[in-house]
């Protein structure tokens, strides 16, 4: 028998698989807080190159944040119109904060987004 010591009590388990399943169940009971962000921005130009750059930039940003903080990936919708961009984003606090900081940097550098 495998004995798994927990902080409060001790559980007798018949196998290591039982210990792993038990630990996974305990971890799934914890709640993850998901935040939402919606913003609308005017595009600097109507060039299709800039539109592709916006999509690529946020895809890379999401991967970077996900790898750095080991969190679930974001969900959302990015709509790019001829003159505007609408981004609906759901994710962890770290992801939302990274997107807001990136928007600030883009606006300061006069990137493809003019104002949000």
């Amino acid at each position: 028998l495998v004995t798994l010591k927990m902080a409060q009590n001790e559980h007798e388990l018949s196998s290591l698989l039982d210990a792993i399943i038990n630990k996974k169940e305990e971890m799934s009971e914890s709640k993850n807080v998901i935040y939402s962000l919606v913003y609308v921005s005017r595009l600097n130009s109507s060039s299709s190159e800039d539109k592709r750059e916006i999509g690529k930039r946020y895809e890379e940003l999401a991967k970077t944040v996900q790898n750095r903080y080991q969190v679930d990936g974001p969900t959302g919708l990015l709509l790019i119109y001829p003159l505007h961009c609408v981004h609906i984003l759901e994710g962890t606090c770290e992801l939302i904060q990274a997107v807001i900081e990136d928007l600030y940097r883009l606006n300061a550098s006069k990137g493809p987004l003019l104002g949000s």
Side-chain angles (χ1 to χ4, degrees):
L1 291 178
V2 175
T3 303
L4 178 66
K5 288 193 173 193
M6 305 301 274
Q8 299 159 333
N9 56 7
E10 203 172 291
H11 297 286
E12 293 259 340
L13 301 169
S14 60
S15 70
L16 185 57
L17 179 60
D18 288 338
I20 293 170
I21 291 171
N22 190 24
K23 185 69 174 172
K24 189 169 184 167
E25 287 174 356
E26 289 174 6
M27 290 176 65
S28 69
E29 290 175 6
S30 65
K31 303 281 185 206
N32 289 334
V33 178
I34 301 295
Y35 296 90
S36 297
L37 171 69
V38 177
Y39 67 89
V40 177
S41 180
R42 190 178 47 190
L43 298 178
N44 193 10
S45 74
S46 60
S47 139
S48 60
E49 178 85 19
D50 283 343
K51 292 176 185 177
R52 278 190 233 109
E53 181 184 330
I54 292 168
K56 189 185 295 184
R57 182 180 190 101
Y58 285 109
E59 186 176 336
E60 290 171 2
L61 181 65
K63 286 179 185 177
T64 301
V65 171
Q66 186 176 3
N67 291 336
R68 182 181 310 151
Y69 296 106
Q70 297 298 313
V71 295
D72 292 332
T75 59
L77 180 65
L78 175 61
L79 301 171
I80 301 176
Y81 294 100
L83 299 176
H84 293 84
C85 166
V86 178
H87 199 179
I88 303 165
L89 184 65
E90 293 180 336
T92 61
C93 181
E94 294 87 3
L95 175 72
I96 300 296
Q97 185 175 356
V99 169
I100 291 171
E101 289 170 357
D102 190 60
L103 282 171
Y104 181 77
R105 281 192 299 272
L106 270 175
N107 286 336
S109 69
K110 302 297 183 209
L113 300 177
L114 274 181
S116 11

